[in-house]
């Protein structure tokens, strides 16, 4: 009798425990991270931390929007045109595609600012746009040829056009890295530097 009672108690305990178990967690439940957080895998990396890119994007875009009202080049009769230009990558460890990703975020913040779009507009590379038009609208190809009829894309005015360039440099030590990131606007016609963000420096610990 005692043996049967013990077995029954053990069985009841197992059933109770199994009923109290929480449902298994999805393997995707904790995959998403806050963009401002730094994971254990990121700590010590020699590349720029994602939080650094985000901070740089936020600071630089806010500065440009604030500076536009003070720049005579962006307060004339016409809206200025900005074309994405070259990236000077002197870090040795950070890929240029990371800077391009940041630059796309920077551009997105600006085009969603009325203060910016009232004064300037981003424009894609003309040759790339024409290649897309030739592929998607071949019947209009003649309109895209230089000197043949009316072009479907207006020619830029170099006096009101600016190239957005980027630079990133790094100073490496055995257990640290100092990164310097900057953006500049150059006038197409004169080559004059008309704007640069306040230098953004990021120092982080890296693994030996």
């Amino acid at each position: 009798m005692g043996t049967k009672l013990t077995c029954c108690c053990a069985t009841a305990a197992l059933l109770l425990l199994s009923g109290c178990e929480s449902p298994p967690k999805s393997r995707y439940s904790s995959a998403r991270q806050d963009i401002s957080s730094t994971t254990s895998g990121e700590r010590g990396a020699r590349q720029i931390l994602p939080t650094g890119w985000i901070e740089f994007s936020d600071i630089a875009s806010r500065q440009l929007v604030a500076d536009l009202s003070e720049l005579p080049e962006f307060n004339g009769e016409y809206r200025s045109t900005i074309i994405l230009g070259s990236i000077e990558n002197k870090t040795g460890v950070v890929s240029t595609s990371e800077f391009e990703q940041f630059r796309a975020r920077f551009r997105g913040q600006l085009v969603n600012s009325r203060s910016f779009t009232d004064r300037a507009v981003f424009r894609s590379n003309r040759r790339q746009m024409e290649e897309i038009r030739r592929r998607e609208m071949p019947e209009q190809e003649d309109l895209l040829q230089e000197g043949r009829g009316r072009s479907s894309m207006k020619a830029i005015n170099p006096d009101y056009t600016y190239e957005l360039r980027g630079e990133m440099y790094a100073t490496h030590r055995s257990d640290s890295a100092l990164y310097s990131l900057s953006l500049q606007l150059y006038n197409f016609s004169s080559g004059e530097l008309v704007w640069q963000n306040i230098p953004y420096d990021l120092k982080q610990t890296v693994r030996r």
Side-chain angles (χ1 to χ4, degrees):
M1 182 69 179
T3 303
K4 290 183 178 180
L5 181 60
T6 301
C7 291
C8 289
C9 290
T11 303
L14 288 173
L15 290 173
L16 181 62
L17 289 172
S18 62
C20 293
E21 283 184 358
S22 58
K25 293 184 178 180
S26 168
R27 62 192 179 99
Y28 301 107
S29 60
S30 60
R32 184 165 183 167
Q33 300 286 332
D34 187 277
I35 61 173
S36 62
S37 66
T38 299
T39 66
S40 58
E42 291 171 341
R43 295 187 184 94
R46 297 187 66 83
Q47 292 78 17
I48 298 174
L49 292 175
T51 53
W53 284 121
I54 293 169
E55 184 179 59
F56 178 32
S57 171
D58 292 342
I59 292 175
S61 60
R62 285 197 300 266
Q63 183 192 342
L64 180 55
V65 169
D67 290 348
L68 284 181
S69 60
E70 305 295 330
L71 293 171
E73 294 87 354
F74 291 86
N75 289 276
E77 184 179 356
Y78 305 102
R79 280 203 306 174
S80 299
T81 297
I82 298 177
I83 297 176
L84 300 182
S86 60
I87 295 175
E88 190 78 14
N89 182 358
K90 297 294 186 179
T91 63
V93 294
V94 180
S95 68
T96 301
S97 63
E98 284 195 21
F99 200 111
E100 291 172 343
Q101 181 184 17
F102 145 74
R103 191 173 61 176
R105 185 178 190 272
F106 172 81
R107 180 184 58 195
Q109 290 172 296
L110 293 177
V111 298
N112 282 283
S113 167
R114 183 63 180 271
S115 297
F116 174 84
T117 55
D118 282 346
R119 296 178 172 88
V121 61
F122 279 101
R123 182 167 174 173
S124 297
N125 179 282
R126 179 169 178 157
R127 183 180 299 277
Q128 293 176 347
M129 291 298 294
E130 289 184 346
E131 289 176 354
I132 294 174
R133 287 174 183 267
R134 289 191 181 99
R135 184 180 70 241
E136 301 299 333
M137 297 179 289
E139 68 280 1
Q140 296 186 17
E141 182 174 352
D142 287 345
L143 296 179
L144 299 173
Q145 301 296 328
E146 294 294 336
R148 296 182 60 185
R150 178 182 59 83
S151 173
S152 60
M153 294 185 69
K154 294 181 179 179
I156 63 173
N157 184 334
D159 292 334
Y160 295 94
T161 302
Y162 301 87
E163 180 186 16
L164 179 70
R165 300 181 190 176
E167 294 179 342
M168 53 180 173
Y169 300 90
T171 300
H172 297 289
R173 295 293 181 264
S174 61
D175 60 352
S176 69
L178 173 64
Y179 293 102
S180 298
L181 309 171
S182 66
L183 292 168
Q184 309 91 30
L185 283 175
Y186 287 89
N187 181 275
F188 252 45
S189 180
S190 65
E192 177 186 4
L193 174 65
V194 299
W195 178 85
Q196 179 173 331
N197 67 289
I198 296 173
Y200 176 83
D201 296 318
L202 173 67
K203 185 177 181 180
Q204 60 190 54
T205 301
V206 300
R207 290 185 288 267
R208 292 178 182 272

